[in-house]
């Protein structure tokens, strides 16, 4: 069974998807982490992100693995190396949407994501899971919040990750930029699937969102 959880950055989807996966005994798959891992590699190897051919070739020769941890964040392996923290750094966040808009890159990720979905019961979080990766998913959610609330959450995330030197204004500018790129790109843009359940989490607690989702699933 596939549960698709889509929505913009900071809406809260990864937090609730992780909890839900644990409750249901499903595998949690953070597809954003895959795009982030490739972005990390491009930055480290100085591959021009604007060069679609080079980026597609890079994606084709990159191994990305997501290793679940029962009580913590997933471990992300890039060509066998743990990049779980390195993919959350501001430089990656700043460039990841430009990587994720490349059609050839998305095709590589799509194959990987569909393979994982075929092998496991999973909750997959991303932008295009319900519309493109698994349009036949049994349950779909679109998790959203107001722009201000999403900025607050992303800012808190950085503090929790001990990433210093990024102002709230910079977080807001980055989020706005990513919202625009993610929702206007040609290939699999961020969009609510017609049959997805829309949840605005702005004023809801994590427990309330999880409860709503569980009720819908059951
Ligand atoms: O969820 P996140 O912020 O870690 O995602 C990072 C970027 O990856 C985000 O800007 C959009 C992109 N992304 C995507 O295009 N498709 C997905 N299924 C997941 C993420």
């Amino acid at each position: 069974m596939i549960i698709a959880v889509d929505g913009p950055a900071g809406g809260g989807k990864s937090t609730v998807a992780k909890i839900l996966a644990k409750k249901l005994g499903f595998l949690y798959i953070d597809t954003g982490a895959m795009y982030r891992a490739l972005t990390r590699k491009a930055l480290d190897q100085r591959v021009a992100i604007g060069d679609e051919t080079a980026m597609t070739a890079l994606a084709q020769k990159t191994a990305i693995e997501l290793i679940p941890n029962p009580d913590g964040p997933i471990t992300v392996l890039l060509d066998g190396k743990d990049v779980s923290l390195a993919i959350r750094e501001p430089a990656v966040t700043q460039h990841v949407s430009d990587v994720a808009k490349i059609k050839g890159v998305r095709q590589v990720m799509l194959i990987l994501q569909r393979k994982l979905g075929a092998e496991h019961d999973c909750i997959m979080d991303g932008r295009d899971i319900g519309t493109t990766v698994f349009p036949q998913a049994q349950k779909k959610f679109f998790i959203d919040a107001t722009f201000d609330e999403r900025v607050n959450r992303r800012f808190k995330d950085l503090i929790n990750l001990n990433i210093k030197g990024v102002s709230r204004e910079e977080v807001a500018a980055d989020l706005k930029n990513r919202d625009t790129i993610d929702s206007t790109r040609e290939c699999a843009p961020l969009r609510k699937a017609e049959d997805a359940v829309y949840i605005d989490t702005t004023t809801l607690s994590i427990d309330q969102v999880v409860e709503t989702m569980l009720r819908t699933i059951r």
Side-chain angles (χ1 to χ4, degrees), residues 5-10 13-14 28 30-36 39 87-88 92-93 95-101 106 109 113 124-129 133 154 174-175 177-179 181-183 185 187-190:
V5 183
D6 291 305
K13 61 187 185 315
S14 66
Y28 166 63
D30 173 0
T31 61
M34 297 177 177
Y35 290 99
R36 285 175 177 270
T39 306
I87 61 167
R88 305 288 162 196
V92 173
T93 303
H95 291 98
V96 64
S97 287
D98 285 321
V99 172
K101 74 180 183 194
R106 299 201 72 82
M109 299 299 176
Q113 291 156 7
M124 203 171 273
D125 106 31
R127 303 292 190 285
D128 61 337
I129 309 304
V133 184
R154 271 293 132 116
D174 171 73
L175 211 60
N177 180 45
R178 286 207 290 148
D179 278 356
I181 299 174
D182 294 344
S183 54
R185 69 178 173 228
C187 184
L190 167 66

Side-chain angles (χ1 to χ4, degrees), residues 81-203:
K81 189 175 151 228
D82 186 349
V83 291
S84 311
L85 286 180
I87 61 167
R88 305 288 162 196
E89 285 170 9
V92 173
T93 303
Q94 203 188 329
H95 291 98
V96 64
S97 287
D98 285 321
V99 172
K101 74 180 183 194
I102 301 169
K103 195 171 174 200
V105 166
R106 299 201 72 82
Q107 279 166 345
V108 173
M109 299 299 176
L110 183 79
I111 291 167
L112 190 57
Q113 291 156 7
R114 285 196 177 151
K115 185 167 180 286
L116 287 168
E119 290 166 352
H120 308 272
D121 282 328
C122 60
I123 298 194
M124 203 171 273
D125 106 31
R127 303 292 190 285
D128 61 337
I129 309 304
T131 55
T132 307
V133 184
F134 287 108
Q136 79 286 17
Q138 286 85 342
K139 275 287 158 226
K140 299 180 188 178
F141 295 95
F142 192 90
I143 308 291
D144 204 359
T146 60
F147 182 73
D148 260 4
E149 179 60 19
R150 295 195 288 117
V151 172
N152 287 341
R153 291 177 188 169
R154 271 293 132 116
F155 192 51
K156 273 191 213 150
D157 285 347
L158 290 182
I159 293 168
N160 290 337
L161 286 166
N162 207 18
I163 294 173
K164 299 192 175 87
V166 186
S167 68
R168 193 182 181 283
E169 288 66 35
E170 284 166 328
V171 172
D174 171 73
L175 211 60
K176 194 157 195 267
N177 180 45
R178 286 207 290 148
D179 278 356
T180 306
I181 299 174
D182 294 344
S183 54
T184 60
R185 69 178 173 228
E186 218 172 281
C187 184
L190 167 66
R191 204 162 41 76
K192 176 188 164 302
E194 265 179 29
D195 52 348
V197 175
Y198 180 89
I199 304 178
D200 180 345
T201 68
T202 308
T203 59

Side-chain angles (χ1 to χ4, degrees), residues 11-78:
K13 61 187 185 315
S14 66
T15 307
V16 293
K18 257 180 260 177
I19 298 173
L20 209 59
K22 203 170 169 194
K23 279 189 189 284
L24 297 172
F26 280 24
L27 182 66
Y28 166 63
I29 297 169
D30 173 0
T31 61
M34 297 177 177
Y35 290 99
R36 285 175 177 270
L38 184 66
T39 306
R40 178 76 270 166
K41 184 167 175 175
L43 292 173
D44 291 346
Q45 299 196 353
R46 297 181 199 283
V47 176
I49 285 170
D51 183 340
E52 299 198 0
T53 309
M55 284 303 299
T56 302
L58 190 71
Q60 284 162 346
K61 58 179 187 209
T62 297
I64 297 169
E65 288 167 86
L66 304 179
I67 316 283
N69 294 312
D71 289 310
I74 50 163
T75 299
V76 182
L77 297 182
L78 172 64

